[in-house]
């Protein structure tokens, strides 16, 4: 049984890194963001609640996140373990989580704010077919046009420099107490999030003592 928490700012690649780990070691990827998105898309009661909160311009509060995670973990479909992403959100939750689930390791993907800005602000989206682009890593063939449907690409509404600064501040504020608590328990593994994704995956496996990544 392997029980991991992954932490990293938006754009750090933690979704991709979690998936690579989960595929190989049969772990369940528990992403709080994905769970909420699923509920919104499927029009559940929780989805309606989340929609109302976001329509009012507010953030989903920590208690709601906690109840969703608890319910998800209670499904007990994780025979070989899990990688949890987006939780815990404060020191109290981290304490509870450590004690109840006996976490093996916290993978902390580190990415300097400047690199986050570079990555996030280069994202583009096709409003017509939904295809994602990135002007650094995944450029469209013709500048500013969708490869699939030819529509003009746009920036996501929440990818403005101002919105990103607010998210970065919020991330650091929320993450600091959680990381400090995990550090006191000596479970944190810091991994540099800047190299190519295969190298990052290898670094994660090395520090966790897992078999090598074969790409
Ligand atoms: Zn398109």
């Amino acid at each position: 049984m392997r029980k991991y928490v992954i932490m990293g700012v938006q754009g750090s690649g933690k979704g991709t890194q979690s998936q690579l780990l989960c595929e190989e070691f049969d772990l369940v990827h528990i992403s709080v963001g994905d769970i909420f998105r699923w509920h919104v898309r499927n029009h559940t009661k929780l989805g309606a609640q989340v929609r109302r909160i976001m329509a009012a311009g507010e953030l989903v509060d920590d208690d709601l996140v906690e109840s969703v995670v608890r319910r998800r973990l209670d499904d007990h479909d994780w025979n070989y373990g899990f990688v949890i992403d987006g939780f815990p959100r404060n020191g109290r939750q981290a304490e509870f989580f450590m004690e109840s689930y006996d976490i093996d390791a916290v993978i902390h993907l580190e990415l300097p704010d400047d690199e986050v800005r570079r990555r996030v602000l280069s994202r583009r989206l096709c409003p017509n077919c939904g295809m994602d682009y990135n002007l650094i890593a995944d450029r469209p063939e013709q500048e500013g046009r969708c490869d699939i449907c030819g529509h003009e690409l746009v920036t996501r509404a929440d990818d403005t420099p101002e919105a990103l600064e607010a998210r970065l501040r919020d991330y650091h504020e929320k993450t600091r107490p959680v990381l400090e608590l995990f550090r006191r328990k000596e479970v944190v593994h810091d991994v540099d999030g800047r190299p190519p994704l295969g190298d990052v995956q290898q670094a994660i496996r090395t520090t966790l003592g897992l078999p090598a990544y074969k790409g």
Side-chain angles (χ1 to χ4, degrees):
M1 183 77 78
R2 298 183 168 107
K3 288 175 282 185
Y4 303 130
V5 172
I6 191 161
M7 295 176 68
V9 70
Q10 170 193 35
S12 62
K14 69 189 159 127
T16 310
Q17 297 301 336
S18 304
Q19 260 151 22
L20 290 173
L21 270 182
C22 288
E23 277 164 22
E24 180 143 348
F25 302 103
D26 256 329
L27 311 177
V28 176
H29 182 206
I30 300 179
S31 154
V32 172
D34 287 350
I35 295 174
F36 281 124
R37 275 189 287 278
W38 184 90
H39 281 280
V40 169
R41 265 202 314 273
N42 290 282
H43 303 282
T44 65
K45 208 166 138 194
L46 175 65
Q49 197 180 347
V50 172
R51 227 186 253 271
R52 266 197 308 278
I53 293 166
M54 298 210 293
E58 287 160 18
L59 292 171
V60 176
D61 73 77
D62 294 350
D63 292 342
L64 182 60
V65 170
E66 182 171 344
S67 75
V68 163
V69 170
R70 279 192 201 224
R71 246 183 288 168
R72 180 65 189 79
L73 287 167
D74 285 343
D75 286 347
H76 282 286
D77 59 346
W78 33 280
N79 296 328
Y80 300 97
F82 54 76
V83 177
I84 195 156
D85 171 357
F87 185 86
R89 308 239 290 203
N90 58 45
R92 184 185 55 77
Q93 289 178 348
E95 191 90 53
F96 151 80
F97 196 50
M98 279 293 298
E99 282 165 13
S100 329
Y101 288 100
D102 197 17
I103 297 307
D104 295 302
V106 173
I107 304 154
H108 177 225
L109 278 182
E110 294 184 292
L111 200 66
D113 285 358
D114 276 343
E115 180 60 15
V116 175
R117 291 185 191 100
R118 201 176 75 90
R119 289 187 184 187
V120 171
L121 298 177
S122 67
R123 297 198 293 206
R124 295 293 181 273
L125 171 75
C126 173
N128 187 46
C129 70
M131 187 73 187
D132 281 312
Y133 295 89
N134 184 300
L135 303 184
I136 306 166
D138 198 4
R139 302 181 65 90
E141 268 174 36
Q142 196 192 341
E143 202 184 313
R145 294 270 160 203
C146 178
D147 292 345
I148 314 287
C149 72
H151 199 283
E152 199 175 331
L153 300 179
V154 298
T155 307
R156 290 170 184 278
D158 59 350
D159 277 354
T160 64
E162 297 74 31
L164 177 60
E165 288 315 308
R167 293 202 298 272
L168 276 171
R169 262 199 314 277
D170 183 63
Y171 172 80
H172 290 302
E173 238 167 67
K174 289 233 146 184
T175 310
R176 206 171 297 125
V178 175
L179 260 179
E180 274 168 19
L181 190 138
F182 284 143
R183 282 196 200 285
R184 283 200 297 274
K185 313 267 184 193
E186 302 181 339
V187 288
V188 179
H189 296 254
D190 295 306
V191 175
D192 185 354
R194 289 171 300 180
L197 69 90
D199 296 353
V200 175
Q201 179 66 202
Q202 185 50 59
I204 291 174
R205 294 193 186 183
T206 303
T207 187
L208 296 178
L210 297 171
Y213 176 59
K214 294 181 191 78

